[in-house]
Amino acid sequence: MTTFPEYIAQNEERDGVRFSWNVWPSSRLEATRMVVPVAALFTPLKERTDLPPIQYEPVLCSRATCRAVLNPLCQVDYRAKLWACNFCYQRNQFPPSYAGISEVNQPAELLPLFSTIEYVVQRGPQMPLVFLYVVDTCMEDEDLQALKESLQMSLSLLPPTALVGLITFGRMVQVHELGCEGISKSYVFRGTKDLNAKQLQEMLGLTKPSAAQGRGPQPEWVWFKFLQPVQKIDMNLTDLLGELQRDPWPVTQGKRPLRSLGVAMSIAVGLLECTFPNTGARIMTFIGGPATQGPGMVVGDELKTPIRSWHDIEKDNTKFMKKATKHYESLANRASSNGHIIDIYACALDQTGLLEMKCCTNYTGGYMVMADSFNTSLFKQTFQRVFTKDVQGSFKMAFAATLEIKTSREIKVSGAIGPCVSLNAKGPCVSENEIGTGGTCQWKVCGLDPSTTLALYFEVVNQHNAPIPQGGRGAIQFVTQYQHSSGQRRIRVTTTARNWADAQTQIQSIAASFDQEAAAILMARLAVYRAETEEGPDVLRWLDRQLIRLVGEHTCRVSATIDPNRKQLIPVFVFSVRSLVFNNSPDESSYYRHHFNRQDLTQALIMIQPVLYAYSFNGPPEPVLLDSSSILPDRILLMDTFFQILIYHGETVAQWRKAGYQDMPEYENFKHLLQAPVDDAQELLHTRFPMPRYIDTEHGGSQARFLLSKVNPSQTHNNMYTWGQESGAPILTDDVSLQVFMDHLKKLAVSSAA
Ligand SMILES: *[C@@H]1O[C@H](CO)[C@@H](O)[C@H](O)[C@H]1NC(C)=O
Ligand SMILES: *[C@@H]1O[C@H](CO)[C@@H](O)[C@H](O)[C@H]1NC(C)=O
Ligand SMILES: *[C@@H]1O[C@H](CO)[C@@H](O)[C@H](O)[C@H]1NC(C)=O
Ligand SMILES: [Zn+2]
């Protein structure tokens, strides 16, 4: 007998799926009463070393509106060579190549072991990988030098056949010609005027593709000037990068450099659009500051006028934000419809406009990385980690993916939240109630890696008076088609099923199946989504209302059977989400939300509930409560907030360290005590993407505030109430302690009951 936690872990391991509920309420009415919908966190490319891809293509259901993939849940008649689709009940003939199957000779896709299986598509050409570097040259020499070295290093990590190109920008934008003999040439563009695809084609001498050619890569003579295989030009490109200089235009005192980021990105998108439509490609953008001229500018060049803050946004006092956002949105849409990824590496002390540019990474599955400088290990290591390879020597990145969902009749898909765009595919599985990006059963995800995780929300549509037979199961199939970094097209299929239960008679078994961690992240994604789309106090109120429902009436009913220690998790999590959603500068918020929206469950949990470990002479390291009572003089603490790894030495430990006990032979165990958290921190620093910021501090140290603000917000932030102006309902803003928050919830619950 497996327990639910074991069952949940096994399913996550095998299928990359975590459902909020693992037994589903069998009617729409009961399902809506559950507050947390039936929903799943799905990691399409979850790493599976035991899953060698099979070298044939999937067998599909013949019903045109279904096309589900043959899977272990299908009923098979081996004698008649028929299989019944478990989604639409269509009876299908096996293809001729399956003539030899029998009970003892089953194809892999029918074995329960292969509820997740990967196929290699045999048709079609091998696709090249395309990497287009877009490099800001308005930065300090130290940054530029470090960046140039990282870019040169990355060339050595690319497969020899990968195509590379280079665009640099400052006041002007330069598209570098790579195929030419001898001296380097480039096409120069003004940074103040946008170009549409047609103008760009003319200016770069790219022949306009005919309608028939338009769907795939264009012939070599169209693009060879700007994109070349690494093996052919790595020496020349290394030299070219080495020779890059700071933008030569003088910057007068009190001014920002003129940075034509918006036009540079537009040219990058346009170049790939007309040369490699529908082929995996990465536009890697490296920026040292905000766009200050032309389309996409987020701040003017006068240093005395700062970039917009939340305050300006609230007051609607932002001159550039709407226009810039529109510019980047349209670029993001063009890139994603061509299957191209846009990455942004923003390294600067001030904001660079991530808020305006966020859709570039969000719509395309690109990376967003934020650091203070290019000369930091945060940037260097993180960038290097993008090129991590698996045991077969292939990049752990996948391109131009689509995710399609099939559901059994009693359940439909409401939408997805994650780094994806809708493909507007209607069908019988699509719910009318949209959650996140809805109204479709297919999404495009241009860039995927093994941790990319989408949140998918479902709606039970079965009517109350249409009972599901005892023992009935609901099924969901996830079909992910993608371009593997080897150039192959692959299809990964995951088929899952869960039992139905009548919520009136079997509430216990539904309650026992509740996955609180998954539910917390799923609700938090929804909260972040609401915050993105409707910003402001309404989101706070919505969040609080959900909590009241969750903590209140509903949990009383359902949680009777839930472990009382776990019950508290949800309010704690959602409380933390408030700070994820509402603190920081606009760019920082965009950055945190970006990562929260794409990481897997384990990483997302750390983001909203940091992990604290204690090291002492009293035994091995142990997890301790994220509470000020955990701070003791003779302890070292290691805190992981996902974005930061912090080591904190308690008062006594700090004194010993200052006195140098660790260097005395008789105190060797103290040396080991000091070293243990450092080793554990290194482990995290070496594996996480993006690399966290590393902080080493002690009792009384200035950086200790990072720890203190997490363990005990009530001491650093006092009751910060503001009162909603229009509606009169009290709302809380910003950081408040959990205690204050719970009190607030109780008050709201009382007033809404009255
Ligand atoms: C980058 O930082 C390191 C350490 O802080 C320093 O030694 C090095 O000189 C810097 N690089 C450049 C190019 O200035
Ligand atoms: C690389 O540079 C060398 C020396 O400048 C030049 O002769 C050669 O043609 C260049 N090759 C390519 C492919 O640009
Ligand atoms: C991501 O894009 C979707 C639309 O595809 C949008 O609704 C959502 O708010 C975006 N999320 C973030 C974190 O920007
Ligand atoms: Zn079917």
Side-chain angles (χ1 to χ4, degrees), residues 455-496:
L456 293 151
Y457 300 82
F458 298 93
E459 186 191 16
V460 174
V461 292
N462 196 50
Q463 291 304 325
H464 207 57
N465 51 10
I468 294 167
Q470 191 71 33
R473 309 189 83 194
I476 295 174
Q477 189 169 65
F478 304 83
V479 183
T480 312
Q481 307 205 28
Y482 69 98
Q483 180 184 329
H484 189 260
S485 69
S486 65
Q488 289 172 340
R489 274 213 79 82
R490 294 195 179 179
I491 303 174
R492 192 185 279 210
V493 180
T494 293
T495 313
T496 56

Side-chain angles (χ1 to χ4, degrees), residues 201-214:
Q201 277 169 0
E202 275 163 18
M203 294 177 78
L204 291 179
L206 301 165
T207 325
K208 190 175 156 46
S210 72
Q213 284 176 326

Side-chain angles (χ1 to χ4, degrees), residues 31-52:
T32 49
R33 287 201 188 137
M34 312 299 292
V35 183
V36 177
V38 172
L41 288 164
F42 178 55
T43 309
L45 294 189
K46 184 172 172 60
E47 246 168 328
R48 288 279 305 270
T49 47
D50 56 338
L51 191 69

